[in-house]
Amino acid sequence: MIGETPPEVGASVLDIAMGRLAEYRATVAGLWRLRSYLGADQWDARPEDVRRAEEVHAPGGVAIPEAHAECEECDAWWWAEQLALGEEELSEAVDCRVYLERHHHAAHGGTTSTARPA
């Protein structure tokens, strides 16, 4: 759990109350403003409901290695895809995979696999 100290702006976090991966944006009236990686969707979360991305386990209980391996954007799309799969939101998972592939092609000159970006 992160606790009372907010993470750095742009850090990947998980709102466990909503079950959504997000990016920390700001503190507003004691709540933390989070933004979805899938668009402009923003919401406020209680600090006690927010976890650092690397403290969370993937669906099925498999521990995920430390977040932000080499590319934060690749990592964020991978996380969003895993969470969508865990919630059986297959359309959202496919969207995440498409955005991951597009980003990886544009930023890294290649395609990804089904594995987590290294």
Side-chain angles (χ1 to χ4, degrees):
M1 184 165 83
I2 293 176
E4 297 298 319
T5 305
E8 292 182 29
V9 172
S12 292
V13 296
L14 179 71
D15 179 346
I16 61 169
M18 298 207 31
R20 294 181 69 188
L21 182 72
E23 179 181 85
Y24 171 79
R25 302 305 300 157
T27 299
V28 178
L31 298 173
W32 291 357
R33 175 76 37 94
L34 306 179
R35 181 179 67 118
S36 169
Y37 281 106
L38 299 178
D41 185 24
Q42 292 191 41
W43 67 96
D44 294 329
R46 298 180 314 170
E48 59 268 21
D49 290 337
V50 179
R51 303 288 185 271
R52 293 189 190 283
E54 60 268 18
E55 295 175 356
V56 181
H57 288 72
V62 178
I64 292 178
E66 184 177 332
H68 310 301
E70 289 182 16
C71 174
E72 289 186 32
E73 189 167 346
C74 285
D75 204 56
W77 284 118
W78 184 87
W79 271 96
E81 178 186 13
Q82 298 310 304
L83 290 170
L85 287 170
E87 294 173 4
E88 297 184 11
E89 295 289 342
L90 301 183
S91 178
E92 186 173 327
V94 169
D95 290 346
C96 293
R97 173 54 55 161
V98 168
Y99 286 120
L100 174 59
E101 294 283 345
R102 285 181 184 169
H103 162 74
H104 200 270
H105 179 72
H108 308 294
T111 59
T112 60
S113 69
T114 57
R116 181 174 185 265

